Amino acid sequence: MKKVLNIAHRGFSGIYPENTMLAFRKAVEIQCDGVETDVQLTKDCIPVLCHDETLDRTTTGKGFIKDYTYKELSKLDAGIKRDRKFKSCRIPTLDEFLDFAKDKNILINIELKNSIIQYPSLEEIVIDRIYKYKMENNCILSSFNHYSMVRCKKIDNRIKTGLLYSEILYRPEKYAEYVGADALHPDFSTLYHDNIIKGTTEKGIPINVYTVNEEKDMISMINLGVNGIITNYHDKLKRILSILHLP
Ligand code: G3P
Ligand code: MG
């Protein structure tokens, strides 16, 4: 069995408030190999990290991120809704995250959240920031919007891209080649179908599966030979990998 990348989904979001600097710090403290995060754009075009297009679920704000300036968003609490003890966590900017990650020797997976809202120039803005922090060799962009992934490659062919999807695609390795992507990022459950992973393995296209939180599924994905596992509980995955001598 080969080494599997242990990627913390939205930081260590199983325990800490998702997509906050606290969750990113804790992910690195407990030795993940990578961190996944989600990027949206504010009204004044600042890339910020939040899973939802709206503020209501994870912060003390209401409405769409795109309707607020960063200055307005910076006053919101992004921790208290998870638990009072996480009061005063803020919505991070992509810059804060990259500045933190740049010397940590980790892979970063930045998911462009542009399937619901077509943020203008999101791809250019994110790629510009990746170079600013010299993270181009340790970064993979992903999106459910595959047009956006093609756009990233047109902007800069060296930037790595991964295609997010949740359907049982026929010959996903052919689709990845067609789109010009470097990796596939499927919902893990699609890999239980037939022998879907065979073609991608033969072609050497890495598969990073999301979001694998149960031990039995982690073990199945390791046995299938995926490249990386995106999980809310990278601590649990770390234990499993060390038992299997795949640290
Ligand atoms: O990038 C993997 C995963 O985060 C995709 O789904 O909805 O959790 O952003 P979601
Ligand atoms: Mg995501």
Side-chain angles (χ1 to χ4, degrees):
M1 271 186 286
K2 65 183 176 70
K3 177 167 166 63
V4 177
L5 291 176
N6 186 350
I7 304 168
H9 184 234
R10 311 180 195 172
F12 192 175
S13 63
I15 306 281
Y16 300 95
E18 64 182 59
N19 282 324
T20 60
M21 290 311 298
L22 176 64
F24 301 139
R25 275 199 302 276
K26 293 292 178 186
V28 171
E29 257 172 54
I30 304 167
Q31 295 170 341
C32 62
D33 299 310
V35 173
E36 187 268 359
T37 186
D38 308 289
V39 66
Q40 315 263 358
L41 270 195
T42 65
K43 191 175 168 181
D44 48 346
C45 290
I46 305 295
V48 292
L49 306 181
C50 188
H51 176 269
D52 300 0
E53 287 70 25
T54 50
L55 297 159
D56 307 54
R57 180 178 63 88
T58 55
T59 81
T60 45
K62 280 191 192 324
F64 286 91
I65 290 173
K66 69 173 177 57
D67 294 333
Y68 293 90
T69 63
Y70 173 65
K71 195 169 175 207
E72 288 166 333
L73 292 189
S74 67
K75 299 185 181 97
L76 301 177
D77 195 309
I80 198 167
K81 280 203 169 161
R82 181 68 188 260
D83 193 296
R84 279 208 67 79
K85 68 182 178 219
F86 300 130
K87 189 173 175 292
S88 300
C89 287
R90 301 291 166 205
I91 300 175
T93 61
L94 177 60
D95 282 80
E96 274 177 271
F97 173 66
L98 291 170
D99 191 42
F100 161 77
K102 68 178 193 276
D103 57 358
K104 301 289 185 301
N105 194 28
I106 53 165
L107 170 79
I108 54 167
N109 172 202
I110 302 172
E111 182 186 344
L112 307 189
K113 282 292 183 196
N114 51 8
S115 294
I116 296 173
I117 296 170
Q118 309 277 306
Y119 293 111
S121 304
L122 179 64
E123 296 87 353
E124 282 89 346
I125 291 168
V126 171
I127 291 171
D128 176 68
R129 297 302 205 283
I130 291 167
Y131 278 103
K132 180 177 165 192
Y133 292 92
K134 300 186 171 49
M135 289 295 283
E136 62 274 15
N137 296 324
N138 298 71
C139 178
I140 183 163
L141 300 182
S142 60
S143 179
F144 287 98
N145 178 346
H146 300 173
Y147 285 86
S148 173
M149 296 293 92
V150 171
R151 193 172 152 83
C152 289
K153 282 288 186 191
K154 281 195 177 138
I155 296 166
D156 190 326
N157 194 39
R158 290 167 300 174
I159 292 290
K160 291 210 165 49
T161 58
L163 305 176
L164 281 162
Y165 62 94
S166 56
E167 297 74 25
I168 299 165
L169 296 185
Y170 181 68
R171 305 296 299 270
E173 71 281 5
K174 284 192 180 280
Y175 182 63
E177 270 188 343
Y178 176 57
V179 175
D182 299 283
L184 292 163
H185 286 206
D187 181 309
F188 76 92
S189 62
T190 65
L191 297 198
Y192 285 131
H193 186 82
D194 210 346
N195 198 3
I196 212 165
I197 200 165
K198 189 171 175 276
T200 53
T201 310
E202 280 168 9
K203 283 260 183 217
I205 298 173
I207 297 196
N208 302 314
V209 281
Y210 75 93
T211 304
V212 190
N213 292 329
E214 301 295 330
E215 199 172 304
K216 66 174 175 26
D217 295 317
M218 289 174 176
I219 293 167
S220 301
M221 293 298 123
I222 294 165
N223 287 331
L224 278 173
V226 298
N227 177 73
I229 295 179
I230 303 172
T231 173
N232 295 351
Y233 297 96
H234 72 290
D235 56 336
K236 193 194 293 187
L237 177 57
K238 193 174 160 51
R239 277 196 302 275
I240 293 170
L241 290 170
S242 75
I243 291 166
L244 296 172
H245 302 293
L246 297 168

